[in-house]
Amino acid sequence: MSFPHNHKKSNKDDLYESFFYRYYYRIFSFLSQKINNRDDVLDVMQDIFTYLWDKELLTSENSEAIIFNVTKQKLALFYRRIKKQQYDLDKLPEISDDSSFEEFDERIEREMAMDKLQQDIELLPELRREILILNKFEGVSQQEIAERYDMSRSAVENQISKAIIFLKKRLFGT
């Protein structure tokens, strides 16, 4: 990847470029073992490096671990998308001729919103994310979570509240 010559490079640009060249082939090799289509590999790689650039994650000392965690997350997201596309294709014949395009669009929008929510949940701190998932998605009570993590019930409630506030801000931009 080359940067335009008329663009003055910042330290962030230099850092990003060095990480790009340092990890490009390793990530490409890793993804090529998991994904057969070269174009899909390149798409996932673009998602990885764009995410790292946007989130400015390349400044920490454990950047290699971050890069490969992001790679694994983007690979999992790729597999989920493929699985969902196959699922959606299987469901298409079930859509009756009298189904309106509006209903179909609403369904697509709901699914996209769920994908966005899942991505936003991944941004939560690990403990907060685990508590939220246990409570809201797996139905574990706050008291059970408190006992599991040796916390007070109010601390668990506080973590859930902070997670929901974060997710609402991400969703509604407030």
Side-chain angles (χ1 to χ4, degrees), residues 6-170:
N6 61 353
H7 172 72
K8 185 178 180 183
K9 283 187 181 180
S10 68
N11 288 342
K12 179 183 169 186
D13 293 340
D14 289 337
L15 182 64
Y16 177 79
E17 190 174 13
S18 76
F19 278 104
F20 179 84
Y21 286 118
R22 184 178 197 183
Y23 292 102
Y24 178 86
Y25 292 106
R26 289 174 65 188
I27 293 172
F28 183 84
S29 296
F30 174 78
L31 291 174
S32 294
Q33 294 172 1
K34 309 290 183 190
I35 303 172
N36 293 333
N37 184 319
R38 184 178 188 276
D39 290 337
D40 289 339
V41 170
L42 295 174
D43 286 344
V44 172
M45 287 185 65
Q46 181 175 356
D47 289 346
I48 292 165
F49 285 106
T50 302
Y51 181 84
L52 292 169
W53 174 261
D54 288 344
K55 300 298 180 189
E56 298 184 16
L57 296 174
L58 297 179
T59 58
S60 70
E61 303 214 353
N62 60 350
S63 55
E64 184 168 328
I66 290 171
I67 289 170
F68 283 99
N69 281 335
V70 169
T71 299
K72 290 175 191 174
Q73 290 172 355
K74 294 297 181 180
L75 179 62
L77 182 61
F78 170 79
Y79 283 135
R80 282 194 296 271
R81 277 192 220 133
I82 295 298
K83 186 174 181 181
K84 187 162 81 167
Q85 286 173 352
Q86 290 170 347
Y87 173 78
D88 288 344
L89 290 175
D90 291 343
K91 292 292 181 182
L92 281 178
E94 295 179 17
I95 298 175
S96 63
D97 292 336
D98 62 337
S99 293
S100 68
F101 284 112
E102 291 83 18
E103 291 173 0
F104 185 71
D105 285 343
E106 287 174 10
R107 187 171 132 204
I108 296 295
E109 286 180 21
R110 277 194 310 271
E111 289 175 5
M112 289 173 63
M114 288 303 294
D115 283 346
K116 169 109 173 67
L117 176 63
Q118 189 171 8
Q119 290 173 357
D120 290 345
I121 288 173
E122 292 296 321
L123 298 175
L124 291 168
E126 185 177 350
L127 178 62
R128 191 171 296 160
R129 179 177 58 240
E130 288 174 9
I131 290 172
L132 178 75
I133 290 170
L134 284 171
N135 183 253
K136 298 299 181 188
F137 296 101
E138 296 179 13
V140 179
S141 73
Q142 291 180 2
Q143 186 61 41
E144 290 174 300
I145 295 170
E147 291 169 3
R148 184 181 293 182
Y149 288 98
D150 195 28
M151 305 169 72
S152 68
R153 186 179 177 282
S154 62
V156 171
E157 187 176 332
N158 186 30
Q159 291 295 314
I160 293 170
S161 175
K162 286 180 179 182
I164 290 173
I165 289 169
F166 173 81
L167 294 172
K168 282 183 179 179
K169 284 181 181 179
R170 298 280 301 177

